[in-house]
Amino acid sequence: MQKYYGYRHIVPTHQGRGAENILSQILIKPGDYIPGNMYFTTTRLHQELAGGTFVDVIIDEAHDAQSLHPFKGNVDLQKLTDLIERVGAERIPYISVAGTVNMAGGQPISMANLRAVYQLAQTYGIRIILDATRAVENAYFIQQREEDYSNQAIATILHKFCSYTDGCTMSGKKDALVNIGGWLALNDYNLYEEARNLIVIYEGLHTYGGMAGRDMEAMARGIEESVQDDHIRARVGQVEYLGQKLLDWDIPIVVPIGGHAIYLDAKRFLPQIPQDQFPAQCLAAELYLEAGIRAMERGIVSAGRSKETGDNYYPELELVRLTIPRRVYTQAHMDLTAEAVEEVYYNRDRLRGLKMIYEPKYLRFFQARFELQ
């Protein structure tokens, strides 16, 4: 981790949300605000459970599935500045920045934008914490789309990218090519000491953080392999292959094509189903019935409810994520997936909305149950 990501101190965790939990406990106080480039489900919940409020400061283009902006994960510097001036820098424990923003369709943040955010944060004395889960993917898009980095290796870009942040949370199940594991990394030794003490309570000893030794070795090897240019080019290329097939068939997806998944635009796919009848959840269920494809809703169900009012959030994006596992599927699998999506799209007019018949208290998209309207 220190070699490729560059942070000084590491606390292993069983997976990314373990790192989010520890981070939230050591940094967030009740009444704090945490700005970020679009929410992520578990990250926001940990922030809220610690008494904080997440504030979205991503650029407006991120909420438009059809915008071709090359870096839709960018932070809107004016939105961020307005928040700081409104609530005060002392009420902002850190800025939460994600690479290849999941909820926006796997969209990257540019190096130039992160550098500008870092400079602004330093002016106010605010930390930046990176969700590094897919930072390698983000480095690939920087290499492909930012002129200054077109001739640099992915490993070099990744290290530079992380240098504009003060720490990170990591779910190793994505970029690091493993089935379990993660970490919290910090440059501040005093914060590291606090995190190391809490790890023993929630995860395991600070030397392994809930992982078995073989899992730690697998992740170390996965980090080495993940930054190889040929690997990440092939990984993203497989996603691009599937996405281009769907675009050629005029099936509505989020563009530009992201790094780890294709995101179907359920609002355009199923315009007859209102958002409060869960069109993306309906589409995900139909894909499973059609061809056994396990997709993930990323819309109103994932967005959850306001902690103040209890009302549903209604995100602009109502998506179904077709995540491509690394080093698992062949081109034939991609073709089958595309054909299944096309079949569902051809028969889309017969689909009806859903109603939620069971809703857990937290993170309902994991356990909620539905039936047809």
Side-chain angles (χ1 to χ4, degrees), residues 12-135:
T13 59
H14 78 285
Q15 60 182 32
R17 70 196 64 169
E20 292 169 349
N21 174 42
I22 301 300
L23 178 73
S24 297
Q25 291 201 44
I26 64 176
L27 284 183
I28 298 172
K29 304 183 301 296
D32 281 349
Y33 294 85
I34 304 91
N37 57 342
M38 200 174 283
Y39 82 98
F40 185 66
T41 50
T42 57
T43 311
R44 187 180 68 187
L45 179 59
H46 284 303
Q47 292 165 351
E48 291 177 347
L49 290 175
T53 298
F54 173 80
V55 181
D56 189 2
V57 293
I58 204 166
I59 60 174
D60 291 341
E61 289 87 343
H63 298 280
D64 180 358
Q66 299 180 72
S67 169
L68 291 173
H69 192 294
F71 290 102
K72 289 160 75 172
N74 281 358
V75 171
D76 186 315
L77 296 175
Q78 190 59 56
K79 290 180 184 178
L80 177 57
T81 302
D82 290 346
L83 175 67
I84 296 171
E85 293 181 350
R86 178 169 63 86
V87 304
E90 68 280 359
R91 301 292 297 279
I92 299 177
Y94 66 93
I95 300 166
S96 180
V97 173
T100 50
V101 180
N102 192 315
M103 308 304 287
Q107 301 298 310
I109 175 174
S110 72
M111 187 78 80
N113 182 253
L114 182 57
R115 185 188 305 115
V117 174
Y118 182 65
Q119 291 169 348
L120 178 63
Q122 285 198 311
T123 300
Y124 288 97
I126 302 173
R127 300 179 186 88
I128 297 178
I129 301 295
L130 174 68
D131 179 344
T133 298
R134 293 187 170 94

Side-chain angles (χ1 to χ4, degrees), residues 352-370:
R352 311 196 311 274
L354 304 174
K355 61 180 178 179
M356 192 181 300
I357 59 173
Y358 168 72
E359 180 176 356
K361 185 175 181 180
Y362 300 123
L363 299 176
R364 64 188 187 183
F365 64 94
F366 280 127
Q367 301 182 71
R369 293 196 291 270
F370 303 84

Side-chain angles (χ1 to χ4, degrees), residues 19-299:
E20 292 169 349
N21 174 42
I22 301 300
L23 178 73
S24 297
Q25 291 201 44
I26 64 176
L27 284 183
I28 298 172
K29 304 183 301 296
D32 281 349
Y33 294 85
I34 304 91
N37 57 342
M38 200 174 283
Y39 82 98
F40 185 66
T41 50
T42 57
T43 311
R44 187 180 68 187
L45 179 59
H46 284 303
Q47 292 165 351
E48 291 177 347
L49 290 175
T53 298
F54 173 80
V55 181
D56 189 2
V57 293
I58 204 166
I59 60 174
D60 291 341
E61 289 87 343
H63 298 280
D64 180 358
Q66 299 180 72
S67 169
L68 291 173
H69 192 294
F71 290 102
K72 289 160 75 172
N74 281 358
V75 171
D76 186 315
L77 296 175
Q78 190 59 56
K79 290 180 184 178
L80 177 57
T81 302
D82 290 346
L83 175 67
I84 296 171
E85 293 181 350
R86 178 169 63 86
V87 304
E90 68 280 359
R91 301 292 297 279
I92 299 177
Y94 66 93
I95 300 166
S96 180
V97 173
T100 50
V101 180
N102 192 315
M103 308 304 287
Q107 301 298 310
I109 175 174
S110 72
M111 187 78 80
N113 182 253
L114 182 57
R115 185 188 305 115
V117 174
Y118 182 65
Q119 291 169 348
L120 178 63
Q122 285 198 311
T123 300
Y124 288 97
I126 302 173
R127 300 179 186 88
I128 297 178
I129 301 295
L130 174 68
D131 179 344
T133 298
R134 293 187 170 94
V136 178
E137 284 180 13
N138 204 102
Y140 173 79
F141 285 118
I142 288 172
Q143 183 192 66
Q144 297 299 306
R145 298 177 186 177
E146 272 190 270
E147 186 175 352
D148 293 345
Y149 300 94
S150 60
N151 295 318
Q152 293 191 23
I154 293 297
T156 302
I157 297 170
L158 175 66
H159 199 281
K160 183 71 171 178
F161 187 74
C162 294
S163 74
Y164 293 122
T165 67
D166 301 288
C168 80
T169 58
M170 178 69 174
S171 173
K173 295 187 288 184
K174 286 79 174 181
D175 275 351
L177 303 170
V178 292
N179 296 324
I180 199 67
W183 70 73
L184 170 63
L186 296 161
N187 287 334
D188 185 304
Y189 182 80
N190 291 328
L191 289 178
Y192 163 67
E193 276 285 275
E194 290 187 55
R196 191 169 65 168
N197 285 326
L198 286 180
I199 282 292
V200 178
I201 301 171
Y202 292 105
E203 298 285 310
L205 200 61
H206 62 280
T207 54
Y208 63 88
M211 285 184 283
R214 62 182 180 182
D215 295 323
M216 298 183 75
E217 181 175 359
M219 188 154 63
R221 292 176 181 271
I223 293 169
E224 287 271 3
E225 295 179 15
S226 71
V227 298
Q228 295 173 3
D229 286 59
D230 288 345
H231 159 72
I232 195 64
R233 186 183 304 112
R235 163 137 181 76
V236 177
Q238 190 174 45
V239 178
E240 291 172 343
Y241 174 82
L242 174 59
Q244 193 57 55
K245 286 186 78 75
L246 297 179
L247 287 174
D248 290 344
W249 296 341
D250 295 324
I251 294 172
I253 67 172
V254 173
V255 291
I257 295 169
H260 55 273
I262 298 302
Y263 289 74
L264 304 175
D265 185 352
K267 282 187 175 180
R268 288 187 290 149
F269 201 115
L270 300 174
Q272 75 274 21
I273 300 178
Q275 195 170 15
D276 60 4
Q277 293 182 21
F278 315 111
Q281 190 74 31
C282 172
L283 179 53
E286 189 64 24
L287 284 171
Y288 185 77
L289 293 173
E290 173 64 33
I293 295 170
R294 296 196 306 161
M296 181 72 224
E297 188 268 4
R298 282 292 179 239

